[in-house]
Every structure is written in C-alpha cells, then in structure tokens.
Amino acid sequence: MRSSRYKRIYLIGIFAFSVFIYFIPNAYALDDIKTFPEKNVGENKVWTITFNDELDKSTIEDSILVQDESGDKIGVKIALLTDKESLEIRPPKEGYKLGEDYTLTINDGLRAINGVKLKQKGKIKFHIINEESNNEENNKNYLAECEVNVSPVISILKSITIKSTNNKNIKKYKVENSNTLIDVGNSAITIIDKENTNIYFYGIDGKLLIGMGRLNVSSSSKNVSIRIE
C-alpha cells in the first residue's frame, strides 16, 4: 500500500464472484454510492470481498447488509478470512429464495485496521435462479484473447486490446476505472499503475454486464488469454 497522509478505501467493482476494494487518497469530494449491474446467482451464492489491507473486525458486521425485496434484513453469515483482507458473505441457512431479488450493500462505516474509511458505499442487486442452471453457465470455458502494449517511456501508460472472445454475446468491454465502452477488436489507451487490472465484458447495448476477467498488464504481450467469469 502506498504511503499517504489521507486515505480511504475505494470500491472498484462487484462481480458474480468477487468484490475488489483498494486504498486511494481522499482529498476530493466523494460520491454517495456506487451501484453495480444486477447479477443472476444461485440459491447458495457465496460473495467474496477482497481489500488491499487488513480489516477492523469490529466494523464488519454493521457495514455489510443483505436485504430482500421488502427491505427486510436477511440473516447471512459474514466471515473474515485468514488473510484478514477478505470477507465471505455466506447465504442464509435455508438459502436464498428462488426467483426473488436481493440487494447487497457495503456501507461506509467499514474500516481498515489502521482506521482508514471506505471511500463510498457500494450496492448490487442480485436475482436468484436455479442453482443447477447457474453452475452449468458458470462452468463454460469462456476466454478472451488480449494484447497488451506498455509504453517504453511511461510505464503506467498502456494500450489494451481485446482481440476476440469465444462468447458470441460479448461485443464490448471496459477497462477498470474507465467508463468508456470499447468494441471488441479495438484498443483502449489507459493509465494503470499496478500489475493487474479488471476487464468488464458487455453485450451489444453496453448495459448488460456478461462477465469479468483479470489481465496482467505489467509487460507487453501480443497474445494473452484470460478467463471470463
């Protein structure tokens, strides 16, 4: 983690499998809440939330909330994993109800062990589908073929190209921390100061989030395959 006098936790994204949260300086106005695209998940869905620093255990229970369509709190189990930087949100004992909608909220009362506060709240709605159908879809081996070019002058300046995927529904993509939709086959020019970044894959309208992949951008490479989850 970079040293900085003022820091907050930054919520990067929520996916079917993971939430990634990082620390950044906070010397600017903050958005109230970040809402992510809805996801279809199974009745026994386990959400994983990953941070880049150890968490203050005493702030976890009151900062993670799952509610049903009526706004009633659902009795999920929240577990701090052994690395102390990750959480699991496990379903209620009887599982989520098939066909119903729920909302997962991460509130800004969450703290790192050093007292750093969450930059903004995060929220995702999820719809419960048949577990067997969901597992069948998730087990498909969807891949994206990528190219990465790192500037020899400014190493944080990258050109990323998603050349193709084997999922016929994917037509566009976004690079983490960018709101720009790029057509598959075209390049995105972006600044990335870490080894890996998330790539988000969308349908033709750019609204339906189909999946996410993790791409290593530490060095230039003409042919990189990443799994889409």
Side-chain angles (χ1 to χ4, degrees), residues 211-226:
M212 183 275 288
R214 193 82 170 146
L215 178 63
N216 187 307
V217 294
S218 60
S219 61
S220 296
S221 180
K222 295 292 183 184
N223 296 291
V224 182
S225 294
I226 62 171

Side-chain angles (χ1 to χ4, degrees), residues 85-128:
E85 298 180 1
S86 302
L87 298 175
E88 278 190 353
I89 303 172
R90 299 166 185 168
K93 187 176 296 185
E94 67 279 7
Y96 296 108
K97 294 181 180 178
L98 189 65
E100 295 203 4
D101 295 312
Y102 296 86
T103 301
L104 165 62
T105 303
I106 304 169
N107 289 313
D108 56 7
L110 193 63
R111 298 287 192 278
I113 199 167
N114 58 3
V116 173
K117 186 180 179 182
L118 189 67
K119 173 184 180 271
Q120 62 182 166
K121 294 179 284 187
K123 182 172 70 174
I124 183 171
K125 290 184 178 180
F126 56 100
H127 179 74
I128 306 305

